[in-house]
Protein backbone atom coordinates (compact mmCIF):
# COMPACT_ATOMS: atom_id res chain seq x y z
CA UNK A 1 0.00 0.00 0.00
CA UNK A 2 1.56 3.28 -1.13
CA UNK A 3 -0.32 5.54 1.29
CA UNK A 4 0.17 4.72 4.96
CA UNK A 5 -2.24 4.67 7.88
CA UNK A 6 -1.47 6.53 11.10
CA UNK A 7 -0.50 3.19 12.65
CA UNK A 8 1.93 2.61 9.79
CA UNK A 9 3.46 6.06 10.22
CA UNK A 10 3.94 5.54 13.95
CA UNK A 11 5.68 2.25 13.23
CA UNK A 12 7.89 3.85 10.59
CA UNK A 13 8.94 6.52 13.07
CA UNK A 14 10.21 3.86 15.47
CA UNK A 15 12.20 1.98 12.83
CA UNK A 16 13.74 5.16 11.46
CA UNK A 17 14.65 6.44 14.92
CA UNK A 18 16.90 3.40 15.29
CA UNK A 19 18.41 4.04 11.83
CA UNK A 20 19.12 7.66 12.77
CA UNK A 21 20.75 6.66 16.04
CA UNK A 22 22.79 3.94 14.32
CA UNK A 23 24.14 6.40 11.75
CA UNK A 24 25.13 8.82 14.51
CA UNK A 25 26.88 5.94 16.27
CA UNK A 26 28.61 5.00 12.99
CA UNK A 27 30.02 8.51 12.72
CA UNK A 28 31.75 8.10 16.10
CA UNK A 29 33.45 4.89 14.91
CA UNK A 30 34.86 6.07 11.59
CA UNK A 31 38.59 6.67 11.74
CA UNK A 32 41.75 5.65 9.88
CA UNK A 33 42.66 2.05 10.69
CA UNK A 34 39.20 0.58 11.28
CA UNK A 35 37.96 -2.04 8.83
CA UNK A 36 34.52 -2.01 7.29
CA UNK A 37 34.05 -5.49 8.81
CA UNK A 38 34.54 -4.00 12.29
CA UNK A 39 32.09 -1.22 11.49
CA UNK A 40 29.51 -3.77 10.40
CA UNK A 41 29.83 -5.87 13.55
CA UNK A 42 29.67 -2.88 15.92
CA UNK A 43 26.69 -1.29 14.15
CA UNK A 44 24.88 -4.63 13.93
CA UNK A 45 25.21 -5.06 17.71
CA UNK A 46 23.99 -1.48 18.24
CA UNK A 47 20.87 -2.14 16.13
CA UNK A 48 20.08 -5.42 17.89
CA UNK A 49 20.64 -3.87 21.31
CA UNK A 50 18.01 -1.28 20.38
CA UNK A 51 15.50 -4.08 19.85
CA UNK A 52 15.56 -3.81 16.06
CA UNK A 53 16.45 -6.21 13.25
CA UNK A 54 19.16 -5.28 10.71
CA UNK A 55 17.05 -5.53 7.55
CA UNK A 56 19.92 -5.74 5.05
CA UNK A 57 21.39 -8.96 6.47
CA UNK A 58 20.18 -11.82 4.31
CA UNK A 59 18.19 -9.53 1.99
CA UNK A 60 18.44 -11.31 -1.39
CA UNK A 61 21.48 -13.02 0.08
CA UNK A 62 23.34 -9.86 1.17
CA UNK A 63 25.89 -11.01 3.77
CA UNK A 64 26.14 -8.03 6.15
CA UNK A 65 24.07 -5.63 8.26
CA UNK A 66 25.32 -2.41 6.65
CA UNK A 67 26.49 -1.30 3.24
CA UNK A 68 29.95 0.29 3.53
CA UNK A 69 30.96 2.00 0.29
CA UNK A 70 34.42 3.60 0.18
CA UNK A 71 35.56 6.30 -2.29
CA UNK A 72 34.59 5.19 -5.83
CA UNK A 73 32.05 2.65 -4.53
CA UNK A 74 28.58 4.14 -5.01
CA UNK A 75 26.47 1.72 -2.96
CA UNK A 76 26.24 -1.87 -1.70
CA UNK A 77 29.86 -2.16 -0.62
CA UNK A 78 30.21 -5.41 1.34
CA UNK A 79 32.04 -4.98 4.65
CA UNK A 80 35.39 -6.79 4.70
CA UNK A 81 38.37 -7.31 7.00
CA UNK A 82 40.56 -6.40 4.03
CA UNK A 83 38.98 -2.96 3.54
CA UNK A 84 40.67 -0.72 6.10
CA UNK A 85 39.86 2.98 6.14
CA UNK A 86 42.66 5.44 5.42
CA UNK A 87 43.07 9.15 6.08
CA UNK A 88 41.43 11.04 3.23
CA UNK A 89 38.89 8.37 2.31
CA UNK A 90 35.16 8.93 2.26
CA UNK A 91 32.73 6.20 3.24
CA UNK A 92 29.00 5.90 2.64
CA UNK A 93 27.15 3.94 5.32
CA UNK A 94 23.66 2.69 4.43
CA UNK A 95 21.57 1.19 7.23
CA UNK A 96 18.18 -0.49 7.32
CA UNK A 97 16.20 -1.71 10.33
CA UNK A 98 12.93 -3.45 11.09
CA UNK A 99 10.92 -2.64 14.21
CA UNK A 100 7.53 -4.32 14.76
CA UNK A 101 7.33 -5.19 11.07
CA UNK A 102 8.13 -1.70 9.78
CA UNK A 103 11.24 -0.71 7.85
CA UNK A 104 13.61 2.24 8.28
CA UNK A 105 16.30 3.17 5.74
CA UNK A 106 18.86 5.98 5.53
CA UNK A 107 22.45 6.64 4.45
CA UNK A 108 25.21 9.17 5.00
CA UNK A 109 28.67 9.77 3.54
CA UNK A 110 31.35 10.48 6.13
CA UNK A 111 34.93 11.78 5.90
CA UNK A 112 37.75 9.61 7.23
CA UNK A 113 40.04 11.99 9.07
CA UNK A 114 41.03 15.03 7.02
CA UNK A 115 39.75 14.89 3.45
CA UNK A 116 40.27 17.06 0.38
CA UNK A 117 38.09 20.09 -0.20
CA UNK A 118 36.85 18.42 -3.41
CA UNK A 119 35.57 15.38 -1.53
CA UNK A 120 33.98 17.55 1.17
CA UNK A 121 32.19 19.55 -1.51
CA UNK A 122 30.85 16.31 -3.04
CA UNK A 123 29.50 15.22 0.35
CA UNK A 124 27.91 18.62 0.97
CA UNK A 125 26.33 18.89 -2.49
CA UNK A 126 24.94 15.35 -2.31
CA UNK A 127 23.30 16.12 1.03
CA UNK A 128 21.88 19.36 -0.33
CA UNK A 129 20.50 17.48 -3.35
CA UNK A 130 18.16 15.70 -0.93
CA UNK A 131 16.95 18.98 0.56
CA UNK A 132 16.57 20.62 -2.86
CA UNK A 133 14.48 17.63 -3.87
CA UNK A 134 12.09 17.65 -0.94
CA UNK A 135 11.40 21.37 -1.46
CA UNK A 136 9.44 20.10 -4.48
CA UNK A 137 7.77 17.15 -2.77
CA UNK A 138 4.15 17.87 -1.93
CA UNK A 139 0.68 16.39 -2.19
CA UNK A 140 -0.72 16.82 -5.70
CA UNK A 141 2.62 17.47 -7.39
CA UNK A 142 4.39 15.23 -9.88
CA UNK A 143 7.17 13.14 -8.36
CA UNK A 144 9.31 14.30 -11.28
CA UNK A 145 9.55 17.73 -9.67
CA UNK A 146 11.67 16.21 -6.91
CA UNK A 147 13.70 14.12 -9.35
CA UNK A 148 14.51 17.02 -11.66
CA UNK A 149 15.44 19.30 -8.74
CA UNK A 150 17.99 16.74 -7.51
CA UNK A 151 19.44 16.32 -11.01
CA UNK A 152 19.64 20.02 -11.73
CA UNK A 153 21.36 20.81 -8.44
CA UNK A 154 23.97 18.06 -8.82
CA UNK A 155 24.68 18.81 -12.46
CA UNK A 156 25.09 22.52 -11.72
CA UNK A 157 28.32 21.44 -9.95
CA UNK A 158 29.40 19.25 -12.87
CA UNK A 159 28.62 16.02 -11.03
CA UNK A 160 27.19 12.81 -12.48
CA UNK A 161 23.78 11.59 -11.30
CA UNK A 162 23.48 7.80 -11.14
CA UNK A 163 20.62 6.54 -13.33
CA UNK A 164 20.45 2.79 -12.66
CA UNK A 165 19.74 3.08 -8.92
CA UNK A 166 16.80 4.98 -7.47
CA UNK A 167 14.95 5.70 -4.25
CA UNK A 168 11.78 3.82 -3.39
CA UNK A 169 8.63 3.53 -1.40
CA UNK A 170 9.04 1.87 1.99
CA UNK A 171 6.82 0.43 4.72
CA UNK A 172 6.22 -3.20 5.67
CA UNK A 173 8.76 -3.98 2.92
CA UNK A 174 12.11 -2.30 2.40
CA UNK A 175 11.40 -1.68 -1.29
CA UNK A 176 7.88 -0.71 -2.31
CA UNK A 177 6.29 1.34 -5.06
CA UNK A 178 6.93 3.93 -6.33
CA UNK A 179 10.46 4.22 -7.69
CA UNK A 180 12.02 7.62 -6.90
CA UNK A 181 14.63 8.57 -9.53
CA UNK A 182 17.24 11.27 -8.89
CA UNK A 183 16.86 12.58 -12.43
CA UNK A 184 14.10 13.27 -14.93
CA UNK A 185 11.47 15.70 -16.12
CA UNK A 186 9.40 17.81 -13.70
CA UNK A 187 6.36 16.90 -15.82
CA UNK A 188 6.77 13.12 -15.40
CA UNK A 189 6.19 10.71 -12.55
CA UNK A 190 3.21 9.79 -10.43
CA UNK A 191 1.07 12.31 -8.59
CA UNK A 192 2.19 12.49 -4.95
CA UNK A 193 -0.50 11.53 -2.45
CA UNK A 194 -0.92 12.26 1.23
CA UNK A 195 0.83 9.80 3.58
CA UNK A 196 3.17 8.40 0.95
CA UNK A 197 6.33 7.10 2.61
CA UNK A 198 9.48 7.36 0.48
CA UNK A 199 13.18 6.65 0.83
CA UNK A 200 14.84 9.45 -1.14
CA UNK A 201 18.52 8.84 -1.83
CA UNK A 202 20.68 10.96 -4.14
CA UNK A 203 23.72 9.00 -5.36
CA UNK A 204 26.10 11.51 -6.89
CA UNK A 205 29.47 10.97 -8.60
CA UNK A 206 32.26 13.51 -8.71
CA UNK A 207 32.91 12.44 -12.30
CA UNK A 208 30.76 10.71 -14.90
CA UNK A 209 27.40 9.15 -14.13
CA UNK A 210 28.29 5.68 -15.45
CA UNK A 211 28.59 2.80 -12.98
CA UNK A 212 29.31 -0.93 -13.03
CA UNK A 213 28.85 -3.94 -10.74
CA UNK A 214 31.90 -5.73 -9.38
CA UNK A 215 32.31 -9.52 -9.50
CA UNK A 216 30.82 -10.03 -6.03
CA UNK A 217 27.39 -9.31 -7.51
CA UNK A 218 26.71 -6.43 -5.11
CA UNK A 219 29.32 -3.69 -5.12
CA UNK A 220 28.48 -0.80 -7.47
CA UNK A 221 31.34 1.54 -8.42
CA UNK A 222 31.97 4.46 -10.76
CA UNK A 223 33.36 3.55 -14.18
CA UNK A 224 35.91 6.38 -14.04
CA UNK A 225 36.98 5.63 -10.42
CA UNK A 226 35.77 9.06 -9.30
CA UNK A 227 34.51 9.35 -5.70
CA UNK A 228 30.78 8.97 -5.10
CA UNK A 229 28.55 10.14 -2.24
CA UNK A 230 25.17 8.95 -0.95
CA UNK A 231 22.63 10.72 1.24
CA UNK A 232 19.29 9.11 2.09
CA UNK A 233 16.36 9.67 4.40
CA UNK A 234 12.96 8.08 4.81
CA UNK A 235 10.19 10.70 4.65
CA UNK A 236 6.42 10.87 4.95
CA UNK A 237 4.49 13.33 2.75
CA UNK A 238 1.75 14.99 4.79
CA UNK A 239 -0.82 17.64 3.99
CA UNK A 240 1.39 20.06 5.95
CA UNK A 241 4.63 19.21 4.17
CA UNK A 242 7.40 16.62 4.42
CA UNK A 243 8.35 14.95 7.71
CA UNK A 244 11.86 13.44 7.70
CA UNK A 245 11.69 10.29 9.82
CA UNK A 246 15.39 9.38 9.86
CA UNK A 247 17.08 12.60 10.97
Amino acid sequence: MICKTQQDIDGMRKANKVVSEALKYAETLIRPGISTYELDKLIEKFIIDKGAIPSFKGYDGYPASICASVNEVVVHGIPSKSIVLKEGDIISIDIGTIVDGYNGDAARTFPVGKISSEKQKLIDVTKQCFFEGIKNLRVGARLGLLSSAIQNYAESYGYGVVRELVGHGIGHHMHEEPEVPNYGSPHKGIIVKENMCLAIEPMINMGRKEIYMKNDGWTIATCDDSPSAHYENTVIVTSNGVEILSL
Side-chain angles (χ1 to χ4, degrees), residues 24-221:
K24 289 169 184 169
Y25 174 61
E27 187 172 18
T28 70
L29 301 173
I30 292 167
R31 64 183 187 277
I34 194 169
S35 72
T36 55
Y37 174 86
E38 290 175 271
L39 289 173
D40 179 63
K41 293 306 174 188
L42 289 166
I43 295 166
E44 177 182 84
K45 182 179 185 303
F46 181 93
I47 292 168
I48 293 169
D49 287 349
K50 290 285 184 180
I53 298 167
S55 59
F56 293 176
K57 195 164 190 177
Y59 185 86
D60 286 344
Y62 187 74
S65 291
I66 67 170
C67 296
S69 305
V70 181
N71 294 331
E72 77 282 357
V73 176
V74 181
V75 288
H76 305 161
I78 299 174
S80 170
K81 292 179 181 178
S82 66
I83 302 174
V84 178
L85 299 184
K86 305 184 303 297
E87 185 91 12
D89 286 341
I90 60 174
I91 179 170
S92 298
I93 302 288
D94 194 353
I95 296 175
T97 67
I98 302 171
V99 177
D100 298 333
Y102 292 98
N103 281 264
D105 190 9
R108 305 283 186 268
T109 301
F110 300 109
V112 181
K114 184 176 174 58
I115 64 172
S116 68
S117 58
E118 291 83 4
K119 283 184 174 178
Q120 187 60 57
K121 182 179 176 183
L122 175 68
I123 292 173
D124 294 342
V125 169
T126 302
K127 177 179 178 178
Q128 190 59 32
C129 280
F130 169 87
F131 289 99
E132 293 298 319
I134 64 169
K135 288 177 186 176
N136 297 273
L137 183 62
R138 55 185 175 272
V139 175
R142 291 274 180 193
L143 191 57
L145 278 171
L146 172 142
S147 302
S148 63
I150 291 171
Q151 178 183 3
N152 291 340
Y153 190 77
E155 291 181 348
S156 73
Y157 288 88
Y159 295 152
V161 180
V162 172
R163 301 295 201 272
E164 294 86 349
L165 303 160
V166 297
H168 49 91
I170 184 169
H172 282 295
H173 303 280
M174 190 194 314
H175 294 111
E176 299 182 355
E177 293 296 325
E179 290 192 342
V180 186
N182 297 306
Y183 66 96
S185 165
H187 309 295
K188 299 285 182 67
I190 65 167
I191 301 291
V192 177
K193 296 180 180 177
E194 186 174 357
N195 291 345
M196 273 187 174
C197 199
L198 305 172
I200 298 164
E201 49 180 319
M203 291 159 274
I204 308 299
N205 302 338
M206 190 183 289
R208 302 201 325 261
K209 65 181 182 295
E210 289 80 14
I211 59 173
Y212 73 100
M213 181 182 289
K214 295 192 176 184
N215 292 334
D216 61 19
W218 281 102
T219 305
I220 304 291

Side-chain angles (χ1 to χ4, degrees), residues 207-242:
R208 302 201 325 261
K209 65 181 182 295
E210 289 80 14
I211 59 173
Y212 73 100
M213 181 182 289
K214 295 192 176 184
N215 292 334
D216 61 19
W218 281 102
T219 305
I220 304 291
T222 58
C223 287
D224 60 5
D225 288 331
S226 65
S228 185
H230 185 197
Y231 187 87
E232 176 183 21
N233 281 307
T234 298
V235 309
I236 190 84
V237 186
T238 76
S239 58
N240 297 318
V242 177

